Amino acid sequence: MKYTRLGKTDLDVSRICFGCWQLSPSFWGEVPVGPWADSVRAALELGVNFIDTADAYGDGHAETELGKLLKQDGTRDQFIIATKFYWNFADGPRHPDTTHDYILRACEASLQRLQTERIDLYQIHAWDAITRPDEVAKAFHQLKQAGKVRWFGVSNLNPEQMDLYRSRFEVSCLQPPYSLVARDIEARELPYCLNHQIGVINYSPLFRGLLGGNYKADSTITGNRAKGPLFHGEGLRIIAAAIEKAKTIGAEIGLTMPELAMRWTLTHPAITSAIAGVRKPEHIKGVVKAAEAPLDQRTWHQLAGLFAQAKAEALAAAK
Ligand SMILES: NC(=O)c1ccc[n+]([C@@H]2O[C@H](COP(=O)([O-])OP(=O)(O)OC[C@H]3O[C@@H](n4cnc5c(N)ncnc54)[C@H](OP(=O)(O)O)[C@@H]3O)[C@@H](O)[C@H]2O)c1
């Protein structure tokens, strides 16, 4: 495993981060906790020291299970734990909430569920248009002073939104979506983060599993993913054809499709660590090689071009 410094923090994180969204039944259905727990253990054995979760994943379920497991195994201190707040699911119907008092409450609740005394990276899950950044800053200063949070990060924010926070507190990390078929952040967010030495941990590097190489043109993908235009019909057929070509490219350099897709994101100089979504040990074992495998510039651009064209054709076909 390779490790790298997260932005201007003192955290040396593995280049593959273990993502816990899979313990969110409303999106992924019920995921058995046994194999999931074994994947956390497998990840640790493979050198992964970085876990991403959120209070909203299963409305506390992911944090609770993670807390229980790390307590039982005595492995809390072997991991750097990142979690998030934003979705208030405690007060009536779920809604965004980044008000000062709510942040303090949400942090306390996360600490209890995770059975820990500190959160290493506390992230705002998304932009809250109706709360003054000063409120967030006040809460963050208090949490930092109390030693409950080490560093702060943001997710799904653009540079202007990051500026509003950065003028009030230190933003150490951005968590955006990034993969061979989701490259919007290359234009603005990634250069911004490079320029300001903000770490970037990208989510959905396999585009929620589509780039894992298991789906063929005639596969039936069920559940919430099926709604996406690339996950069914002509869109899937076109992407599946590109994946077959990519597999050949990967085979030439000794990488499987999930390793190649993951490696492709990690090759961008702004990316610190890629967050892998994991349900079972095979998932994490199937991507860790990406942390160390080389990928030359020619191949990076070849893959970028292949999927840019496939995505454009797939979206046009889906219209
Ligand atoms: N900040 C945010 O708004 C946000 C949003 C989304 C995610 N995240 C974070 O990022 C993490 C990763 O996102 P994601 O879950 O979308 O990630 P992903 O890695 O793109 O997709 C995960 C899915 O890919 C498939 N997969 C995983 N490993 C594989 C392998 N080795 N070979 C083939 N297929 C494999 C599995 O689905 P199947 O086996 O069912 O195909 C798995 O559920 C989440 O767990 C969460 O921590 C954050």
Side-chain angles (χ1 to χ4, degrees), residues 105-247:
R105 271 169 56 208
C107 183
E108 215 53 59
S110 286
L111 287 166
Q112 280 192 17
R113 283 190 291 263
L114 289 165
Q115 303 194 43
T116 185
E117 284 169 4
R118 65 168 200 290
I119 290 165
D120 300 307
L121 180 68
Y122 200 34
Q123 307 160 102
I124 303 173
H125 213 141
W127 178 246
D128 176 4
I130 60 164
T131 303
R132 292 190 169 276
D134 289 334
E135 287 216 31
V136 179
K138 189 174 157 202
F140 279 10
H141 287 306
Q142 282 174 255
L143 290 173
K144 183 119 185 168
Q145 255 187 343
K148 295 181 178 181
V149 171
R150 290 171 75 186
W151 303 99
F152 295 100
V154 295
S155 180
N156 300 306
L157 263 54
N158 65 33
E160 290 74 22
Q161 293 163 340
M162 282 189 269
D163 276 342
L164 277 169
Y165 286 149
R166 285 188 54 246
S167 57
R168 291 164 172 84
F169 58 88
E170 191 175 341
V171 171
S172 298
C173 183
L174 170 68
Q175 182 177 147
Y178 186 52
S179 71
L180 274 160
V181 290
R183 297 175 54 199
D184 290 353
I185 60 165
E186 280 175 14
R188 301 175 66 235
E189 285 76 9
L190 292 184
Y192 179 93
C193 288
L194 266 180
N195 192 30
H196 295 290
Q197 253 186 285
I198 295 169
V200 181
I201 57 177
N202 59 306
Y203 71 76
S204 300
L206 301 184
F207 202 66
R208 302 195 295 279
L210 183 66
L211 301 173
N214 290 333
Y215 299 111
K216 307 272 178 269
D218 58 354
S219 294
T220 303
I221 303 175
T222 54
N224 288 301
R225 286 183 287 183
K227 294 173 199 151
L230 307 185
F231 285 83
H232 62 265
E234 193 57 8
L236 176 59
R237 193 192 62 72
I238 293 166
I239 294 294
I243 288 173
E244 289 312 308
K245 287 185 191 154
K247 280 182 183 172

Side-chain angles (χ1 to χ4, degrees), residues 237-278:
R237 193 192 62 72
I238 293 166
I239 294 294
I243 288 173
E244 289 312 308
K245 287 185 191 154
K247 280 182 183 172
T248 311
I249 297 169
E252 282 166 18
I253 51 175
L255 294 180
T256 63
M257 186 61 211
E259 290 164 350
L260 187 69
M262 193 70 96
R263 178 69 233 169
W264 184 89
T265 72
L266 285 168
T267 301
H268 193 291
I271 301 291
T272 311
S273 180
I275 315 174
V278 182

